[in-house]
Amino acid sequence: SQTIHQWPATLVQPVGSPLSLECTVEGTSNPNLYWYRQAAGRGLQLLFYSVGIGQISSEVPQNLSASRPQDRQFILSSKKLLLSDSGFYLCAWSVQVPGELFFGEGSRLTVL
Amino acid sequence: ILNVEQSPQSLHVQEGDSTNFTCSFPSSNFYALHWYRWETAKSPEALFVMTLNGDEKKKGRISATLNTKEGYSYLYIKGSQPEDSATYLCAFSSGGTSYGKLTFGQGTILTVHP
């Protein structure tokens, strides 16, 4: 069966520090991968999606970047965090585009 | 910018009540409409993926309808139970250059009181 894991679950970081959130999917190959963010009082916003290794599409201008170094690994990064980067980040995968999404456990980031 | 609106924002019902929520989305260039349930401390889980106008799907006490021409979908819960308490999200995808991207509404927070 397929599983998705993301970590860390909780992160408290100072402004200006770097960020790395990781997500891995097991039990499937060539998944479509997504990073979503839920900021306070807002819905899920698509940040990045990837249909293959090294292929990243960015949805909104922001302080974040994503990489897909392996087929089932998706990484969300920042060189210098801003206060506005605080939120709940969800990694997700799908087989079809745009098929049902399967979400990870989420990572709550607080930037102080 | 694709706008997906959900109403109401929150809802409190008593156990046994039936309830429904609305999701409105752009009626042009429709591809699919998703419903997800997001329980506290868990990951969102898909309830339905709907693609055809007039489609109606059912899973246990939960059902959903879809009207792509007027751009709305309803989610119904019959005989609500406390375990139905969750945030219900709808998400819309269109064709063309937005193909593959889901735009989520803000969700409806349902609380079912015993």
Side-chain angles (χ1 to χ4, degrees), chain A residues 4 6 23 25 31-37 45-51 55-57 59 66 68 73-76 89-104, chain B residues 34 36 93 98-104:
Chain A
I4 178 170
Q6 65 175 105
C23 173
V25 180
N32 302 298
L33 297 173
Y34 309 83
W35 279 110
Y36 281 87
R37 176 174 63 195
Q45 181 184 36
L46 179 62
L47 302 176
F48 300 96
Y49 74 97
S50 170
V51 297
Q55 300 179 59
I56 309 294
S57 294
E59 285 304 294
R68 184 170 178 174
Q73 184 184 24
F74 207 22
I75 298 171
L76 185 70
Y89 290 82
L90 280 164
C91 180
W93 70 276
S94 70
V95 173
Q96 299 170 330
V97 176
E100 174 184 347
L101 292 180
F102 298 91
F103 287 91
Chain B
H34 296 214
Y36 290 83
S93 67
S98 296
Y99 183 71
K101 308 169 196 175
L102 281 176
T103 300
F104 280 83

Side-chain angles (χ1 to χ4, degrees), chain B residues 58-63 76-81 83-84:
Chain B
K58 188 175 181 181
K59 183 183 292 188
R61 294 177 291 100
I62 304 177
S63 60
Y76 300 91
I77 302 179
K78 184 178 178 182
S80 302
Q81 300 296 308
E83 58 264 31
D84 295 328

Side-chain angles (χ1 to χ4, degrees), chain B residues 82-111:
Chain B
E83 58 264 31
D84 295 328
S85 298
T87 298
Y88 290 82
L89 301 169
C90 72
F92 163 82
S93 67
S94 63
T97 57
S98 296
Y99 183 71
K101 308 169 196 175
L102 281 176
T103 300
F104 280 83
Q106 286 192 301
T108 293
I109 302 171
L110 173 66
T111 304

Side-chain angles (χ1 to χ4, degrees), chain B residues 52-71:
Chain B
L52 299 175
N53 183 44
D55 205 3
E56 182 171 341
K57 296 206 172 185
K58 188 175 181 181
K59 183 183 292 188
R61 294 177 291 100
I62 304 177
S63 60
T65 61
L66 178 67
N67 184 323
T68 62
K69 296 191 185 306
E70 296 183 39

